[in-house]
Amino acid sequence: MTEVINNEKEKFMGLTHAQVFMYLLMTVISILFLFITNAYLFRMNFADWQSLPMPTLLWFNSGALVLASVGMIWAKQGAKSGSPTNIKIGLTAAGIFGTLFTLGQITAWQELNAVGYFLASNPANTFFYLITALHVMHVLGGMVAWLRVSFKVFLGSENTATEHTIGLLGIYWHYMLLVWALLFSILLTT
Amino acid sequence: MAFVIVTTIIVIGTVLWNFITPWWFTPLASNWGALDQTIIISLWVTGVAFVLVSGFILYCVVKFRYKEGHKSEYEPENTKLEVILTAITTVGVIILLAPGLIAWNDYVNLPEDAMEVEGVGQQWVWTYRFPGEDGVYGNTNGRLFSSKNTFGLDPNDPNSQDDILIRSNHLHLPIDEPVVFQLRSKDVLHDFYIPQFRAKMDLVPGQQTNLWFTPTVLGTYEVACAEYCGTGHFAMRGIITVDTMNDFQSWLTEQPTFFDTMNEGTKGQGKQIAQTLGCVACHSDNGKNGIGPTWKNSFGSQRMMTSGETVIVDAEYIKESIVNPNEKTAQGYAPVMPAYKMSDDELDAIVEYIETLSE
Amino acid sequence: MEQSSAYEGQPLHEPKGWWGRYVFSQDHKVIGLQYTCIALAIGLTGMFLSLLMRMQLGFPGLFESIDAGSYYQDVTMHGMIMVIYLLTALFLGGFGNYLIPLMLGSRDMAFPFVNMLSFWFYLLSVLILVASFFVESGPTGAGWTLYPPQSILEGTPGADGAGIILMLASLAVFIIAFTMGGLNYITTVLQSRTRGMTLMRMPLIIWCIFLATFLGLLAFPALLVGAIMLIFDRVLETSFFMPEIFKGGEVLDYGGGSPVLFQHLFWFFGHPEVYIIALPAFGIISELISCHARKNIFGYNMMVWALIAIAGIAFIVWAHHMYVAGMNPYLGFFFATTTLIIAIPTAIKVYNWVITLWNANIRMTVPMLYCLAFLITFLIGGLTGLFLGNVAVDVPLSDTYFVVGHFHMVMAVSPVLALYGGLYHWYPSVTGRMLDDRLGKIHFWITFIGTYLVYFPMHYIGFLGVPRRYYSNDQYDFIPQSVNDLNQFITICALIVGAAQFILLYNFVVSIYKGKKAGSNPWGACTLEWQALESPPGHGNWDVQLPVVHRWPYDYGLPGATADFVPQNVADEDIT
């Protein structure tokens, strides 16, 4: 490795690389969900649209996602106050509730399928499966990032970047919760 | 220097070409002269811009070519000049846009009391429907299509019965009579385009689109599909004949109503079925091979398959080729034919028709 | 700021071994070259497909293997390859990767590893695309717009096999690759500028790539959504875009969907896509014209604001591709107006380029020739765009050869001329050697005149009304024989132009070994990529210290300086 010196640079609003990357990524993801909801609202005006009932399980899943976010806040506070125990508790909670959410969503699909709301039988069903699946995929992306951070925290030595990293991870998780809240309210009201 | 000479020739050639081009608008045969005029205005405005800007480039290239030791003039900004140029461009854009929007306003506002025709597209033929004596179209439903009910009309709707169906590519229209087309498609996107009428509109399955024009010159015109619609796109040709009102009326009375078509048998109707299902777009009856082999003199002939085997074109082979076309593909043709579902009577009728095309 | 230094101050990872240096490289210059090579290779395939298509139009029946089905497959794959896999990838992945860190004075992209992944995903998308040529019934022949219902129904080549699925999958992978690259470019532009390189001192090409990337990041999700939904319709028989359809004598299982919805999604991506290609071309022209005319670029501020305006308005013009597509016709008023408004900032850019030539000291180098040719073809393409954007004029001209002529002039010939200008300009920076000048000029003349002769006459058969995407014109009486003669002429021109591209290829390969040594700054350019310590720049780009920027990038002919240019990293007191 070469020792190099990076003199003071032009920065954008005092943000770090990772912050800029994360905010941009969230913008792109927002656009993706914006288009899919747009298509949803456009398509539901057609005559063949038949809304499907929302499984009650979704409320429990939403709760799990909220608790996962709380876990991330817990970990962030732990990092701020320099308490490794709180970081670990918070991360663990976030991981457990994140997994519960994912499993819960899969169970909800199975429930719907079991009572005859098949993917292809009505556009409302198709959109429900597609939108929730896209969201779950993005939550899984957050789980991968969670794994990376957790490995560092549980196995690695003390890392100076932990607060920064956990903060960013937390933002993504809160963002996933926000996206879910918006999607769920659209699914509920239409 | 080579650049200046060649580019000057290109610029002058580009401008002169507009006056000597052998390819220009087809003779106008409808009320849409305003569209031609906007094109002419656009040609003039853009032509002037093209000559000015490219002339300026050429002048600079000659005048300010490289001299060793010379330095260019340093002038990063000139706000006044930029404002003037922006203003001139804006004026040019308004000159272009205004007549365009006025013409568009006419184009999308359908005239009241105009004659109504429905155009129905499918791969790769055009068919048409008139509302009939009562002047009201019968209801249609995409689920009601069949090889018999080729317009998907509701047989229980009293308005349906007298609808006049034109089950061929050939439509007649009266001269100087505004006509509104309601367009729909059975399968994929198409575009109803008659070059001499300038008018054009997509046909979208599952919804209706509208188009209107007034034919102003007697004659026969071609309908060309202008929205890519599959392998046979380029062969989706229709004919429109513009008649005097009398000729048109007498032609119209000869056409069958929905009631008539629902009560005709299949016997001897092979040609009609082949027409309405679009077979004729690929299989000609005149000996010319198209996307598929011609039907003329095909019955009883021997044909090489892509698999290498030879088959005799008989009733069984023809039926198999309709129901399951990609089972055997004739040599020299692509396996692009979609499978067709028909009743046995209809299959027999088509076989019978193909047989009559062989001498 | 303490924590951030832990990220940005990290030492560069020296590549390990040959594989690490040339294959799994995280160096932005190598990744840029990898992008360039793959894009040029697939672009050559795209050109070959266009020649097959021209053979059918010019000499129908000469090649029996070109039947209607394979003709439409050639048309489709040619369009898709050129727009997405050649031009988008080459301008942003190739030029963007190579130039952004060098021109901004940074050591590498913000996230070198993600950058490498971006290339490998791009390669994967190209491989999936190529694979579709080898599946049963071949690649999709649905037209590059992939409009449903026909793109997924029998009767369109490739629709019943895996062709269309592979096409959509390839697009999805490409979008992932683009997103990874794009997030990187933007972060780098915002974060990794060296000291003194303020946003308004960035070279215009960086502004262009930056804004084009923004457009891409915001527009590609629309295509991704469309592609996913279309895969659903094709594989799972859902009905997002599929209405009731009667086909082959039976009513299909679909129902209720809207084909126009797909068109909205497609063109919401598709129109910004035009600018994703055009903006980097604009950027290349801005750099080249200033450098080779030895003159400061005219109206830098106006140029930047015009770019931002173009990028913004690009999102509200998409439906001008759909005037006669069955959307609410009254939307035509709005979209025609926005479309013609976007002509104003575009015209400003053209004015500023040509005013840059005024009182300049113009060197007729090969890159300059490409610049000037670009101005001519872009003028034609831009001005004919005013016809098609103007809704009423679009009615007779849409879907005719006028459209083919227009968009090839504006987003094929023009960007490719800019691209070639850029390749000739930056080749010395990459290899340390010059391309052969004489071969360059021969290649230029054949390409410029040849493509002009190919596309200019098409506008007039468009006036006549000849529809595009016709396998053959024989059946129509309104199309005279002279159109077929013209088609023959165009095909011959196209073949010559196609063959001439091998001159460039030859020049490229031979000059690596035999080209004249370029020295560190052969064109006398002000921008930073020519001021690196080594030529070509080594890993990490700069010496121990990063360069410090003192001025904008266009100080050509600065009064008071002896030389006719002052590089960006020269301080005022050091000017001699």
Side-chain angles (χ1 to χ4, degrees), chain B residues 14 18 23 64 66-67 70-72 74 76 82 89 96 109 123 200 202 207 222 225-226 228 231 340-341, chain C residues 141 155 246-248 294 299 302 324 326 330 351 361-362 390 398-399 452 460 470 477-478 482 555 558 561:
Chain B
T14 301
N18 289 287
W23 305 292
F64 307 113
Y66 190 71
K67 293 184 202 78
H70 181 79
K71 260 170 78 173
S72 57
Y74 192 74
E82 290 178 76
T89 314
L96 291 178
N109 282 309
Q123 287 175 331
K200 184 183 282 165
D202 275 14
Q207 76 177 72
E222 288 166 304
C225 180
Y228 176 54
T231 317
Y340 284 82
K341 287 235 167 74
Chain C
F246 175 71
K247 199 167 152 30
R294 315 307 300 157
M302 196 76 164
V324 293
Y330 290 95
Y351 298 147
N361 195 17
I362 302 169
N390 199 352
S398 69
D399 283 308
Y452 202 88
Y460 293 87
Y470 269 28
D477 298 330
F478 80 94
S482 60
D555 264 339
L558 185 72

Side-chain angles (χ1 to χ4, degrees), chain B residues 1-14 50 54 57-58 61, chain C residues 285 364-381 408-410 412-418 420-421 424 439-457 489-490 493-494 496-501 503-504:
Chain B
M1 261 319 89
F3 180 84
V4 176
I5 295 165
V6 174
T7 310
T8 312
I9 294 172
I10 287 180
V11 172
I12 293 173
T14 301
F50 177 70
S54 48
I57 294 172
L58 289 169
V61 171
Chain C
I285 295 305
M364 293 304 264
T365 55
V366 176
M368 191 64 186
L369 288 174
Y370 275 108
C371 267
L372 295 170
F374 168 91
L375 291 179
I376 302 288
T377 56
F378 186 72
L379 258 179
I380 295 269
H408 276 97
M409 276 288 188
V410 80
V413 176
S414 299
V416 166
L417 290 175
Y420 286 162
Y424 280 91
L439 287 179
K441 282 189 173 147
I442 296 172
H443 173 232
F444 165 76
W445 283 114
I446 299 177
T447 308
F448 175 41
I449 299 177
T451 49
Y452 202 88
L453 291 177
V454 167
Y455 296 111
F456 177 69
F489 170 77
I490 290 178
C493 290
I496 295 172
V497 172
Q501 305 317 306
I503 300 176
L504 175 75

Side-chain angles (χ1 to χ4, degrees), chain A:
Chain A
M1 288 186 191
T2 337
E3 275 305 315
V4 290
I5 301 167
N6 290 329
N7 356 9
E8 186 199 329
K9 287 185 191 170
E10 299 287 339
K11 281 278 183 295
F12 187 72
M13 294 166 68
L15 299 172
T16 63
H17 285 12
Q19 278 171 326
V20 173
F21 189 91
M22 183 63 80
Y23 295 148
L24 279 171
L25 181 66
M26 292 188 326
T27 315
V28 174
I29 295 174
S30 304
I31 300 270
L32 182 75
F33 282 106
L34 185 75
F35 281 122
I36 196 93
T37 30
N38 246 333
Y40 177 87
L41 297 174
F42 180 94
R43 183 68 176 80
M44 65 177 286
N45 296 320
F46 287 68
D48 60 337
W49 186 273
Q50 280 170 335
S51 300
L52 72 171
M54 286 297 124
T56 327
L57 185 58
L58 289 188
W59 287 101
F60 290 99
N61 295 347
S62 309
L65 204 56
V66 171
L67 289 175
S69 259
V70 172
M72 285 314 302
I73 294 172
W74 193 291
K76 174 89 191 278
Q77 289 303 327
K80 231 179 210 163
S81 58
S83 148
T85 330
N86 280 343
I87 297 181
K88 286 175 185 171
I89 293 174
L91 278 179
T92 313
I96 289 172
F97 286 114
T99 316
L100 272 181
F101 172 80
T102 312
L103 293 176
Q105 294 292 76
I106 295 169
T107 318
W109 295 334
Q110 285 168 340
E111 261 181 30
L112 279 173
N113 224 7
V115 287
Y117 290 95
F118 304 120
L119 176 92
S121 48
N122 193 275
N125 306 359
T126 323
F127 265 109
F128 175 80
Y129 287 106
L130 177 60
I131 288 177
T132 46
L134 271 179
H135 179 258
V136 163
M137 279 172 69
H138 285 90
V139 170
L140 285 179
M143 294 295 284
V144 172
W146 173 85
L147 272 178
R148 270 194 65 183
V149 176
S150 300
F151 262 110
K152 265 189 202 162
V153 168
F154 283 94
L155 303 176
S157 52
E158 294 303 310
N159 192 324
T160 45
T162 310
E163 188 191 337
H164 180 243
T165 323
I166 289 180
L168 274 180
L169 181 64
I171 288 174
Y172 184 78
W173 279 63
H174 303 328
Y175 169 72
M176 275 299 120
L177 175 63
L178 176 74
V179 170
W180 173 246
L182 293 173
L183 293 177
F184 191 35
S185 51
I186 290 174
L187 289 172
L188 273 178
T189 50
T190 52

Side-chain angles (χ1 to χ4, degrees), chain C residues 408-476:
Chain C
H408 276 97
M409 276 288 188
V410 80
M411 67 179 284
V413 176
S414 299
V416 166
L417 290 175
L419 170 72
Y420 286 162
L423 290 179
Y424 280 91
H425 182 80
W426 279 292
Y427 187 85
S429 164
V430 178
T431 62
R433 292 180 188 263
M434 307 294 283
L435 283 169
D436 185 84
D437 209 43
R438 210 165 48 93
L439 287 179
K441 282 189 173 147
I442 296 172
H443 173 232
F444 165 76
W445 283 114
I446 299 177
T447 308
F448 175 41
I449 299 177
T451 49
Y452 202 88
L453 291 177
V454 167
Y455 296 111
F456 177 69
M458 284 190 188
H459 295 94
Y460 293 87
I461 55 175
F463 282 149
L464 179 68
V466 180
R468 63 192 279 218
R469 290 173 168 170
Y470 269 28
Y471 169 68
S472 114
N473 295 326
D474 317 338
Q475 308 204 17
Y476 293 85

Side-chain angles (χ1 to χ4, degrees), chain B residues 285-316:
Chain B
D285 58 1
N286 60 9
K288 215 174 143 190
N289 286 323
I291 301 169
T294 181
W295 282 346
K296 178 138 177 119
N297 291 331
S298 68
F299 197 88
S301 67
Q302 287 213 336
R303 186 168 289 164
M304 228 1 206
M305 296 292 118
T306 46
S307 61
E309 63 173 320
T310 313
V311 298
I312 293 176
V313 179
D314 54 11
E316 196 193 344

Side-chain angles (χ1 to χ4, degrees), chain C residues 11 63 76 161 194 242 280 313 348 350 404 458 517 534 572:
Chain C
F63 289 112
T76 305
T194 189
M242 305 298 275
I313 307 172
I348 289 172
V350 175
V404 180
M458 284 190 188
K517 283 252 192 282
E534 299 166 78
D572 280 341

